[in-house]
Amino acid sequence: MTKRSQPEPSSAARTASYGDQVPARILAAYALPALPLAAMTLPLYILLPTFYTETLGLSLAGVGFALLVMRLFDAVNDPLVGFVADRFRPRFGRRRTLFAASLPLTALSGFMLFWPPVDATTGYLLGWGMMLSLGYTASVIPLTAWGAELSSGYRGRSRLAGWREGFILIGTLIAIAVPFTIGFDTAEGVHGLALLAIGIAVALPVFGLIAVVIVPEPKEHTKQRVDFRKGLGHLRNNKPFLRLIFAYLINGLANGIPATLFLYFVSERLGLPEARGPLLFLYFLSGVIGVPIALKIADTIGKHRAWCWAMLINCAIFAVAPMLPEGALYGFGAMCIATGIFLGFDLTIPASIQADVVDVDTASSGEQRSGIYFAAWSLATKLSLALAGGTIFPALAFFGFDPQASGNNTDTSLLALAVIYAWVPIALKLISVLLMWNFPLDEAEHAKLRASIDGETSS
């Protein structure tokens, strides 16, 4: 391992490092691009499968296969983007430059994917989906690494993650309201998804530019570079990272299954197709309310314990979903509110812990490699969602569930839909709880890590 001098930041790459007190102006500007980025996340996994199967008439298995291939593509593209994000050091700053450069591809791909031609094929979905995957990865990895490095405090990182994830939830609400208000049951004209595509194409470059101009480049704490092989060794030896990412992957799969099946469950199992949009909106609105609650409880009992309790309570509530009778609008609506609040925990707390775990590597390796770590988490997120789509659709097809046979599915296929929707995710979440209950990196241990990193950097 050889020490190398770090490049001096130019006047263009103004740098800053905050502890627990990040200015509200910086928080808001940093979180702003999350709005249009979030508007692409929910439609991709919840609305697009329904649109491409029910409206465009593509096969359920074909759409599921396309989503799986897109995520396998991420297995290559995410680590490469993460590696470049850490090694790329332009004059304007490594986080801000890569983020800004990614915006045109991300905006164009989202536009094309959400406003397809009426004769779009599975190949069209796969091609533009892969382009969106690349652009989205190149946007999100530097954005999350940027935030993780901007605040070094245990609680400050929770605030920063809370702002970003709160804006993500607001963007998600917009992504729900627009398609369901305008409608997307036809592929012709400016339908709801097409209007969303236009909004993304305009808002992402504008909001991204605001963030790049206002938010400074984070101060870098790298003391020395490590080669690729030694870097992998540090990653494998980072036990809090390994523990977290496995819990994160399993919990992501647990969240991805009901997210993918939500529209089908409401319309086919509950017989409430007209309530799909309002219920989904209610769920994510409750998530916005849950974010400040999550931050308060995490400050009180610690991040990992707050997350574990949220998952346990969520499981208890979700267990009754398959037992709801047809037409149970108010009962399922109450479930959407309760589980939505705990969505705020699921989004905010792990994102904050992720930033803390990077410090374990920085202290041991001497290089601040947030990019490669957030690439791993980005890949885990996408793989969990891909596994959800790539496994549950064939499983539902095996039990005879047909998304185009509205009202004509058998009792067996509807039971399979309900069990896969609710009880399979509960089993997965309980595994995540076991992994995280005695997580070793609490506030006291993190303070020791930061003292080591900051002391060595200043020496």
Side-chain angles (χ1 to χ4, degrees):
M1 200 181 290
T2 307
K3 286 194 175 184
R4 300 183 186 178
S5 60
Q6 299 303 309
E8 292 293 328
S10 69
S11 57
R14 56 195 177 88
T15 62
S17 180
Y18 303 99
D20 283 330
Q21 302 299 322
V22 184
R25 179 178 69 94
I26 300 297
L27 289 170
Y30 166 76
L32 196 56
L35 280 168
L37 286 172
M40 286 182 283
T41 305
L42 180 93
L44 182 60
Y45 295 105
I46 297 183
L47 304 185
L48 277 191
T50 304
F51 182 76
Y52 275 80
T53 54
E54 293 184 359
T55 305
L56 297 180
L58 302 184
S59 72
L60 190 65
V63 171
F65 175 75
L67 293 175
L68 181 60
V69 172
M70 287 160 53
R71 297 293 76 89
L72 292 176
F73 174 67
D74 285 326
V76 176
N77 121 52
D78 278 39
L80 286 177
V81 171
F83 183 79
V84 171
D86 287 336
R87 293 304 174 97
F88 184 48
R89 285 178 169 80
R91 291 174 57 83
F92 195 66
R94 59 178 180 165
R95 303 307 181 203
R96 292 192 298 168
T97 302
L98 183 56
F99 173 72
S102 72
L103 297 178
L105 176 61
T106 310
L108 174 63
S109 302
F111 179 84
M112 298 300 291
L113 196 61
F114 300 143
W115 197 355
V118 294
D119 59 348
T121 64
T122 303
Y124 180 94
L125 170 63
L126 178 59
W128 281 111
M130 291 173 71
M131 289 299 97
L132 178 60
S133 176
L134 177 60
Y136 185 85
T137 296
S139 298
V140 168
I141 288 177
L143 180 67
T144 50
W146 190 0
E149 296 168 356
L150 198 61
S151 172
S152 60
Y154 182 84
R155 301 189 181 197
R157 284 174 171 169
S158 294
R159 301 286 177 278
L160 195 144
W163 273 75
R164 184 183 65 235
E165 301 304 321
F167 274 54
I168 285 175
L169 287 167
I170 294 171
T172 301
L173 291 174
I174 295 171
I176 297 167
V178 172
F180 280 104
T181 300
I182 307 300
F184 57 102
D185 54 355
T186 176
E188 298 177 351
V190 184
H191 48 79
L193 284 177
L195 189 60
L196 186 63
I198 296 170
I200 291 169
V202 174
L204 183 57
V206 173
F207 291 173
L209 179 62
I210 291 173
V212 168
V213 170
I214 294 178
V215 183
E217 183 75 10
K219 181 180 178 182
E220 187 176 354
H221 293 277
T222 295
K223 305 190 311 300
Q224 58 192 1
R225 302 280 184 87
V226 296
D227 59 35
F228 184 74
R229 182 178 176 183
K230 291 181 179 178
L232 285 179
H234 284 288
L235 190 145
R236 286 194 302 268
N237 292 330
N238 190 337
K239 289 183 173 55
F241 158 72
L242 295 176
R243 195 162 169 175
L244 175 64
I245 198 167
F246 279 118
Y248 188 66
L249 175 63
I250 295 169
N251 186 64
L253 179 57
N255 291 337
I257 291 173
T260 305
L261 295 180
F262 183 91
L263 299 184
Y264 299 126
F265 181 82
V266 174
S267 61
E268 298 301 316
R269 174 63 179 80
L270 298 180
L272 300 168
E274 71 286 349
R276 296 186 302 180
L279 287 171
L280 201 57
F281 189 89
L282 182 64
Y283 174 70
F284 284 103
L285 178 62
S286 302
V288 176
I289 298 171
V291 168
I293 299 174
L295 295 178
K296 180 66 175 178
I297 295 179
D299 283 351
T300 303
I301 65 175
K303 298 177 188 178
H304 64 282
R305 283 292 171 87
W307 186 28
C308 286
W309 278 113
M311 287 190 283
L312 287 171
I313 299 172
N314 209 2
C315 287
I317 298 169
F318 215 52
V320 303
M323 295 178 280
L324 291 173
E326 185 176 353
L329 175 63
Y330 295 112
F332 190 70
M335 284 187 57
C336 288
I337 294 173
T339 57
I341 289 174
F342 291 108
L343 173 67
F345 287 71
D346 255 345
L347 292 176
T348 302
I349 296 177
S352 180
I353 301 175
Q354 288 166 8
D356 298 337
V357 169
V358 177
D359 288 340
V360 176
D361 184 276
T362 305
S364 65
S365 72
E367 182 175 5
Q368 191 171 37
R369 302 185 302 147
S370 304
I372 196 65
Y373 274 86
F374 279 96
W377 281 302
S378 174
L379 180 59
T381 301
K382 294 173 182 177
L383 282 177
S384 64
L385 291 170
L387 287 171
T391 57
I392 61 177
F393 284 143
L396 286 175
F398 175 79
F399 286 103
F401 180 79
D402 184 356
Q404 294 181 329
S406 181
N408 295 317
N409 282 292
T410 66
D411 290 341
T412 300
S413 63
L414 291 177
L415 177 61
L417 172 64
V419 170
I420 295 173
Y421 174 78
W423 288 348
V424 172
I426 288 174
L428 293 170
K429 277 187 174 289
L430 292 176
I431 297 173
S432 294
V433 171
L434 288 174
L435 287 170
M436 291 300 299
W437 187 257
N438 289 318
F439 191 69
L441 190 54
D442 58 11
E443 186 169 10
E445 289 300 316
H446 181 257
K448 296 176 184 177
L449 271 179
R450 287 309 312 182
S452 172
I453 294 168
D454 296 335
E456 290 177 359
T457 302
S458 61
S459 61

